[in-house]
């Protein structure tokens, strides 16, 4: 689960990580009051959306008094913010963070992620902060310092110190940097984060080590341990179709292609997406209806695929193990008549009750194309879509 910057900062603060003083606001008046409360010489108004690159898109503004905070907040709230991470459709700004302005001496990068190939969390740091870290990693990999963390020991202070040296920190600043890294790791583990990024981590003109920007993702599979995190969810920031799908326990991820796919089992879903690409088209989604899908699940899945306006055709690829093929066929037919289906559908069903399913589909008033194997199914749907455009 993604959360907002201001929420991440509130979490980090509890673990002794230094963050600028700030308040969230939903209206220009709240923003002005926040500034009056903070009573600083300078303020930063920061758009809160679940995407980075806000600075370049006009979502980060430095101002000098509460009146300006109010004016700028008025412009920012409700605006469509387009950044490198939002896609061209952008995101509407509904909340803003009002913070004290920080005097920056140096911008660094610090992050913790899981390195799957090493089976360990890795603390990553770079003295090239404030910019797109992916670019630095690709062009100058030697500028990224890494410390792999032993899960039994946790981040050791010598590791944090070593990263601090590599970043060029010295004396008191080094000590503060070490404290920062240990606090960040503590927060990461205690909250079951899947990602924590501080970009930039700044050294201020008075030698403080502060998280100027933070991004935290929480591991969905561990949310049950943190009931209080549920209120951090901001459904406005999520893909509406994915929100809808989560209500039905469907594993759905929206993608940008034109072939909607409904598959059971994540492995088969991945393979189906590969074959669609191989046949020359792009999948519109990942959808795993699960091992024991009912008529209802299939129906809901099918409706979600059909609500995606980019979808030009649908490929259904089901292996009937626990789920019976005739149930899937019934779900598809129900959904097709509910939704007044107009798009081409290619179906490949294999396994339990395959014959009954084919019988059902043939008797339907919709003209489903039945494919006998996986590859044929993928090439057929791509061929039909290409013919129709
Ligand atoms: P992002 O663009 O979404 O990553 O937003 P950030 O919070 O990282 O802000 C982008 C940039 O704005 C930072 O790298 C800083 O250079 C600048 N910035 C943000 N807050 C402050 C601040 O308090 N003082 C100063 N001087 N610059 C800031
Ligand atoms: Mn940033």
């Amino acid at each position: 689960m993604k959360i907002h910057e201001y929420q991440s900062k509130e979490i980090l603060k509890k673990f002794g990580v230094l963050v600028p003083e700030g308040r969230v606001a939903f209206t220009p008046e709240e923003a002005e009051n926040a500034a009056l409360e903070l009573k600083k010489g300078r303020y930063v108004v920061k758009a809160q959306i679940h995407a980075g690159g806000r600075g370049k898109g006009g979502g980060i503004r430095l101002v000098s008094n509460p009146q300006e905070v109010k004016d700028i907040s008025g412009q920012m709230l409700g605006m469509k913010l387009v950044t490198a991470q939002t896609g061209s459709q952008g995101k509407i700004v509904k909340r803003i963070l009002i913070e004290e302005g920080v005097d920056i001496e140096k911008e660094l990068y610090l992050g913790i992620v899981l390195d799957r190939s090493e089976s360990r969390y890795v603390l990553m740091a770079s003295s090239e902060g404030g910019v797109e870290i992916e670019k630095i990693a690709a062009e100058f990999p030697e500028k990224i310092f890494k410390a792999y963390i032993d899960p039994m020991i946790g981040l050791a202070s010598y590791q944090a110190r070593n990263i601090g040296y590599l970043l060029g920190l010295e004396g008191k600043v080094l000590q503060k940097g070490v404290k920062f890294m240990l606090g960040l790791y503590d927060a990461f583990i205690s909250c079951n984060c899947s990602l924590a990024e501080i970009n930039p981590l700044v050294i201020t003109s008075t030698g403080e080590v502060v998280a100027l920007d933070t991004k935290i993702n929480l591991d969905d599979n561990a949310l049950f341990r943190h009931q209080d995190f549920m209120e951090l969810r901001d459904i406005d920031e999520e893909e509406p179709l994915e929100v809808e799908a989560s209500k039905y326990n469907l594993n759905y991820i929206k993608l940008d292609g034109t072939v909607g796919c409904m598959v059971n089992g994540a492995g088969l879903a991945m393979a189906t997406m590969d074959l669609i690409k191989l046949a020359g088209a792009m999948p519109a989604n990942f959808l795993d209806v699960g091992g024991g899908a009912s008529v209802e699940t299939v129906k809901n899945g099918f409706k979600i695929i059909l609500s995606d306006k980019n979808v030009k055709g649908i490929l259904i690829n089901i292996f009937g193990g626990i789920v019976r093929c005739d149930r899937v066929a019934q779900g598809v037919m129900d959904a097709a008549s509910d939704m007044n289906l107009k798009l081409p559908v290619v179906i490949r069903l294999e396994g339990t009750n395959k014959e009954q399913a084919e019988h059902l589909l043939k008797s339907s008033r919709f003209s489903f194309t039945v494919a006998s194997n996986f590859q044929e199914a993928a090439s057929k749907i791509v061929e039909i879509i290409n013919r129709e455009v």
Side-chain angles (χ1 to χ4, degrees), residues 11 18 71 80 121 169 176 186 204 254 264 273 276 340 357 364 380:
I11 291 177
L18 205 55
D71 297 344
K80 192 165 91 174
Y121 289 120
L169 310 184
K176 287 176 180 167
D186 191 12
T204 67
K254 189 179 169 343
N264 65 333
M273 290 160 59
I276 290 171
N340 195 17
S364 153
K380 266 194 177 152

Side-chain angles (χ1 to χ4, degrees), residues 46 52-54 130-131 198-200 212-214:
K46 308 185 81 175
R54 296 163 301 170
V131 285
I198 315 296
N199 190 21
L212 204 68
D213 185 16
T214 63

Side-chain angles (χ1 to χ4, degrees), residues 4 35-36 42 53-54 58 78 83 91 93 137-138 148 171 182 184 193 212 258 295 314 328 334 363 375:
H4 287 293
L36 290 166
R42 271 196 322 155
R54 296 163 301 170
T83 80
K91 288 211 160 158
V93 180
Y148 290 95
L182 295 175
L184 179 66
C193 300
L212 204 68
T258 54
V295 172
I314 298 170
V328 174
D334 289 357
S363 67
Q375 189 141 24

Side-chain angles (χ1 to χ4, degrees), residues 333 336-338 340-342 361-368:
M333 285 163 57
S337 49
D338 283 4
N340 195 17
L341 176 74
K342 297 217 170 60
L361 290 171
K362 276 188 190 132
S363 67
S364 153
R365 68 184 166 91
F366 297 98
S367 57
F368 299 111

Side-chain angles (χ1 to χ4, degrees), residues 22-284:
R23 308 255 190 288
V24 65
F26 294 81
T27 64
E29 291 70 29
E30 279 176 23
E32 185 187 19
N33 285 334
L36 290 166
E37 267 176 54
L38 289 169
K39 270 211 180 83
K40 301 287 172 183
R42 271 196 322 155
Y43 304 92
V44 190
V45 180
K46 308 185 81 175
Q48 298 297 289
I49 55 169
H50 285 185
R54 296 163 301 170
K56 284 185 189 150
I60 308 282
R61 303 278 295 271
L62 278 109
V63 298
S64 50
N65 60 60
Q67 182 58 44
E68 273 185 286
V69 167
K70 187 179 179 187
D71 297 344
I72 296 292
S73 300
Q75 294 167 22
M76 216 181 262
L77 282 162
M79 93 178 200
K80 192 165 91 174
L81 184 54
V82 180
T83 80
Q85 292 182 17
T86 59
S88 55
Q89 78 280 9
K91 288 211 160 158
I92 304 290
V93 180
K94 296 185 175 163
R95 322 175 174 199
I96 43 174
L97 171 61
I98 311 303
E99 269 187 351
E100 60 175 314
V102 173
D103 256 336
I104 303 176
E105 182 93 9
K106 193 150 181 24
E107 300 198 10
L108 311 169
Y109 170 91
L110 196 66
I112 303 178
V113 285
L114 178 63
D115 184 327
R116 289 175 193 276
S117 58
E118 297 284 334
S119 307
R120 294 197 167 193
Y121 289 120
V122 57
L123 175 72
M124 290 193 296
S126 176
S127 40
E128 310 289 316
V131 285
E132 286 167 61
I133 199 68
E134 291 79 5
K135 273 197 188 152
I136 301 287
E139 290 170 30
F140 311 101
E142 73 283 358
K143 290 193 174 176
I144 310 249
F145 313 123
K146 293 181 178 177
Y148 290 95
I149 303 168
D150 185 317
M152 297 304 286
I153 299 171
L155 178 67
S157 44
Y158 80 86
Q159 290 182 298
R161 226 167 17 248
N162 189 37
I163 293 281
Y165 285 132
L166 291 166
L167 289 172
L169 310 184
E170 289 171 342
K172 283 247 158 57
V173 180
L174 175 64
Q175 276 174 22
K176 287 176 180 167
V178 169
K179 181 170 177 268
F180 187 106
M181 288 181 243
L182 295 175
L184 179 66
Y185 178 74
D186 191 12
F188 187 96
I189 296 298
S190 307
C191 301
N192 296 110
C193 300
S194 53
L195 172 92
E197 248 188 350
I198 315 296
N199 190 21
L201 166 71
V202 302
I203 314 297
T204 67
S205 50
T206 54
E208 298 300 330
V209 179
V210 183
L212 204 68
D213 185 16
T214 63
K215 175 178 172 180
I216 283 184
N217 292 351
L218 301 166
D219 182 348
D220 290 337
N221 295 310
L223 281 177
F224 72 95
R225 292 182 184 156
H226 309 278
Q227 290 306 322
D228 50 327
F229 285 169
M230 283 324 293
E231 67 186 41
L232 303 181
R233 186 170 177 196
D234 183 357
I235 289 184
D236 282 347
E237 292 288 322
E238 297 177 18
E239 173 59 49
L241 285 178
E242 289 178 13
V243 174
E244 185 69 13
S246 70
K247 289 185 199 155
Y248 307 120
N249 281 327
L250 294 165
N251 297 309
Y252 171 90
I253 294 162
K254 189 179 169 343
L255 301 168
D256 299 328
T258 54
V259 182
C261 24
M262 187 161 80
V263 189
N264 65 333
L268 191 58
M270 298 297 281
T272 305
M273 290 160 59
D274 281 350
L275 274 189
I276 290 171
K277 284 191 185 179
L278 195 66
M282 295 296 273

